[in-house]
DNA sequence: ATGAAAGCGCTAACAT
DNA sequence: ATGTTAGCGCTTTCAT
């Protein structure tokens, strides 16, 4: 398409201008105020006018400009959801759950992913602040940006999810990390394992600290000393789990079982185990954290501590909705349960040899 | 279907008093126009005033209100990314890639997930239209909403990703679905398989049609007739793959190999195979589509047609950025390559019994 | 080079 | 019950 500049007016070079309240009002023969009243559902407009306005809006295919509206009413219906890693299915499950609730309440979800990078997290929060969001759900990084503090002081309704935000008394939803881990290790101890490894995330994350506490608790309860030398830290990602597992395998007295405290790290650990052609569970028993779609597709199927990821998102969204409605209400911390899902990788139910216990 | 125009009240009517240009201007002793000039980086402001404005802004911790700005300049820096399923890692990889490029270009990404639900897709697009987005990247549903048409007619810059949008001549980035599938089936044929099953997605999706074409092409090239009876359709989800695999396994003359044309369906298929305690690859060889984090954690590791998901997002974002800058430029369709990644599940490299072909 | 003033499209006070 | 009008906070002519 060639665009030439001439003096003659082109038939229609100007794209169809988007209709505004003014045009709708004109067509309906009413004032813009009445149009606004009808469209926002305000009471007290004559039936006849309501009909005319509706018809005019329909005819013009009119949609209110929400930017203008937001400016006027000084507020948006946008909720930001700040997550550390969009490529981690655990977090997308949270997103899915939150989205479900928020959409039903007619909020728009603005997803902000900082990729476990504190610098990006800072930038993101800065943008969010300018964007005029109505509220925020967030899973903070290990070193949470001080901007959370600022937003909180500015009275932005916010709820933290999954991870405890250091020094921020906001609404909160987490899971029973300690209990879940304790159950996993109890299970392994009950199967006769003594040398149990732990592949955990960074201690700066509350989830990692709690899972470690559970690990240790199970040993203590059994009258045993937790094997400090078998506790490894990685970065909650696949590569970290892989390397940690390699280290565990290379030990002179290698553990007979391992508890891997996150979904992606478990994938890495399995890869390392397969590379060394170690049989699961006879050479090494494995329990993971977080029940993922692939858990039952693995061979053997993976024993895991299941956490209700989607429910975490749903609950966070509900907490936020409540706070939005009643800003002064008391703060709440909701803790969702975890459950040990025993499959074959821990050795109790080897499907190929269904020997009775 | 009746469509009523939304009329919800904004969540926050009284935001905490936040500084405005006026206050900055007052503190700096200049006009609001000058403040705006300095902050938007317009040329021709005395060095001295620039300093004063900057200092005042800093002191007040001022951030321009982007809602007001967007209204004034009649445009936003928000790009919508519309995807069918946020819990599918393939799509989140696309998101990750697009996000990377868009953030660098100082755009905000608005993620819209319609959960493979056409009705939700409609609603989403309607909202997006009111939101005044600058552009859109989308992977349409099987029956793409007619609202795409409308947005396109309204000259919204948009690029489709992964799936061909029916009857919409927008910029486009896809992968070599046919070639990839052909290579996968060629590989299985070369290994001596004759009865090869195909578990595919719905024919309404271009990706599924192309993958089927590749499947058939490989047979034709080998002088064979494609086994129509072994071609099953599911919904691209895990449950669909599971059920389809069950059907395949239950056949009187069960296939000796199966090509599963999507990531989640492959997970389902594997689950069915494990339940029947069939050995991979000796009882049934498996090739999947899309290289996922778990592929190397499976036992045996999964042979797949790898597609560059992240790159798909990156490319889509670049296409959009280009079009944003030059709306009249020629339309482009970029096709990214796929590659067959041979691992043990197809039988060529069984790690436990490295028998020669 | 800077300021005054006019809106962007909408809703809410205030009139009538 | 409806219309008139005044901004929301910002950018951008248009003057000077």
């Amino acid at each position: 398409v060639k665009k030439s500049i001439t003096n003659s007016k082109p038939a229609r070079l100007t794209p169809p201008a988007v209709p505004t309240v003014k045009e709708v009002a004109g067509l309906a023969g009413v004032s813009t105020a009445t149009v606004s009243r009808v469209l926002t559902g305000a009471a007290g407009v004559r039936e006849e006018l309501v009909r005319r306005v509706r018809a005019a809006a329909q005819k013009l295919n009119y949609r209110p400009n929400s930017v203008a509206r937001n400016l006027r009413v000084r507020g948006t219906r946008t909720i930001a959801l700040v997550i550390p890693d969009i490529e981690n299915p655990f977090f997308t499950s949270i997103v899915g759950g939150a989205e479900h609730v928020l959409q039903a309440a007619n909020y728009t979800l603005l997803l902000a992913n900082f990729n476990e990078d504190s610098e990006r997290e800072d930038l993101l929060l800065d943008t969010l602040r300018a964007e005029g969001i109505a509220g925020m759900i967030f899973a903070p990084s290990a070193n949470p940006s001080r901007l959370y503090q600022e937003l909180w002081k500015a009275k932005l309704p916010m709820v933290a999810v999954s991870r405890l935000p250091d020094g921020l008394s906001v609404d909160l939803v987490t899971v029973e990390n300690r209990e879940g881990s304790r159950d996993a290790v109890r299970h392994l101890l009950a199967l006769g394992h003594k040398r149990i490894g732990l592949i955990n995330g960074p201690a700066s994350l509350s989830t990692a600290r709690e899972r470690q506490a559970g690990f240790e608790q199970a040993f203590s309860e059994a009258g045993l000393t937790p094997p400090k030398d078998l506790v490894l830290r990685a970065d909650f990602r696949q590569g970290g789990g892989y390397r940690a597992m390699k280290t565990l395998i290379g030990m002179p007295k290698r553990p007979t079982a391992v508890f891997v405290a996150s979904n992606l790290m478990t994938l890495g650990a399995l890869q390392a185990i397969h590379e060394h052609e170690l049989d699961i569970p006879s050479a090494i028993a494995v329990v993971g954290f977080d029940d993922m779609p692939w858990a039952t597709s693995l061979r053997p199927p993976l024993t895991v501590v299941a956490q209700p990821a989607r429910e975490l998102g749903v609950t966070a969204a509900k907490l936020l909705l409540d706070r939005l409605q009643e800003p002064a209400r008391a703060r709440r911390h909701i803790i969702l349960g975890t459950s040990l899902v025993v499959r074959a990788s821990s050795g109790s139910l080897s499907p190929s040899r269904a020997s009775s216990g």
Side-chain angles (χ1 to χ4, degrees), chain A:
Chain A
V1 175
K2 158 132 49 107
K3 201 186 291 175
S4 64
I5 299 180
T6 65
N7 280 335
S8 60
K9 274 184 276 178
R12 245 184 56 135
L13 254 188
T14 12
V18 175
T20 71
V21 257
K22 243 181 201 156
E23 279 130 272
V24 177
L27 184 60
V30 298
S31 73
T32 60
T34 296
V35 173
S36 177
R37 284 186 191 107
V38 172
L39 268 25
T40 57
V45 181
R46 242 170 52 223
E47 191 54 39
E48 153 72 5
L49 291 195
V50 171
R51 274 201 318 93
R52 264 160 50 195
V53 169
R54 289 251 161 80
Q58 169 105 34
K59 183 164 178 197
L60 294 174
N61 195 14
Y62 170 77
R63 305 267 20 213
N65 176 330
S66 64
V67 172
R69 168 166 222 287
N70 289 340
L71 177 60
R72 175 62 237 236
V73 303
R74 297 152 110 178
T76 67
R77 285 190 76 85
T78 300
I79 302 292
L81 181 38
V82 182
I83 58 171
D85 181 9
I86 196 181
E87 304 196 41
N88 184 332
F90 169 64
F91 292 113
T92 56
S93 286
I94 293 181
V95 174
E99 188 181 41
H100 184 76
V101 174
L102 260 19
Q103 279 180 351
N106 197 24
Y107 280 92
T108 301
L109 196 148
L110 184 64
L111 192 70
N113 165 39
F114 60 86
N115 221 34
E116 294 284 17
D117 172 353
S118 294
E119 213 167 307
R120 263 239 63 82
E121 193 182 12
D122 262 22
L123 242 63
L124 238 40
L125 292 177
D126 217 35
T127 306
L128 256 27
R129 191 182 138 199
E131 216 76 48
I133 53 171
M136 176 162 110
I137 298 173
F138 67 110
S141 73
N143 311 90
S145 167
R146 52 158 194 82
L147 291 178
Y148 288 114
Q149 281 283 0
E150 254 178 59
L151 291 169
W152 182 67
K153 279 191 211 141
K155 304 238 189 296
L156 179 76
M158 46 204 280
V159 5
V161 65
S162 181
R163 300 171 173 182
L164 294 173
D166 253 19
L168 221 54
S169 27
V170 295
D171 288 309
L172 187 55
V173 45
T174 58
V175 301
E176 290 177 335
N177 286 300
R178 194 176 47 72
E179 293 83 348
S181 301
R182 182 202 58 202
D183 292 351
V185 176
R186 261 190 200 160
H187 170 65
L188 290 170
L189 288 170
L191 289 168
H193 293 280
K194 298 272 188 267
R195 294 188 54 78
I196 303 172
L198 168 64
I199 299 180
N200 202 0
S204 46
L205 255 28
S206 62
T207 43
R209 291 194 302 270
E210 291 168 10
R211 287 169 200 177
Q212 174 137 3
F215 176 85
E216 291 168 0
Q217 184 183 346
F219 276 94
S220 304
E221 281 177 1
L224 301 168
T225 310
K228 295 275 184 198
D229 55 315
L230 298 183
V231 173
L232 264 42
R233 298 201 174 291
D235 60 1
F236 262 151
R237 300 203 170 198
Q238 195 157 356
Y242 176 80
R243 285 184 294 274
M245 194 66 228
K246 283 260 185 195
T247 304
L248 246 27
I249 290 173
M251 286 181 171
K253 280 188 67 183
R254 115 178 10 144
T256 62
V258 62
F259 172 47
V260 192
S262 97
N263 57 358
L264 262 24
M265 290 199 309
T266 306
L267 245 23
L270 289 174
Q271 193 183 340
I273 292 170
H274 295 340
E275 277 184 20
H276 286 263
E277 300 193 16
L278 297 174
D279 184 65
I280 301 173
S282 69
I284 186 154
V286 179
V287 177
F289 206 100
D290 205 6
D291 203 13
M292 288 281 123
W294 58 76
T296 52
S297 303
L298 294 168
R299 179 173 268 174
L302 190 67
T303 294
V304 295
V305 177
Q307 59 174 331
R310 215 189 141 78
E311 193 65 21
L312 227 31
V314 167
T315 308
K318 284 181 179 165
L319 283 181
L320 187 60
L321 253 26
D322 285 349
R323 178 146 311 276
L324 246 15
Q325 199 163 352
E326 195 186 333
R329 67 174 299 151
R331 201 167 67 83
R332 284 179 292 176
H333 180 178
I334 294 184
I335 303 173
L336 302 179
T338 54
S339 61
L340 183 69
V341 179
V342 177
R343 298 200 183 96
S345 73
S346 53
S348 61
L349 281 170
S350 183
S352 45
R353 313 163 292 122
S355 58
S356 58

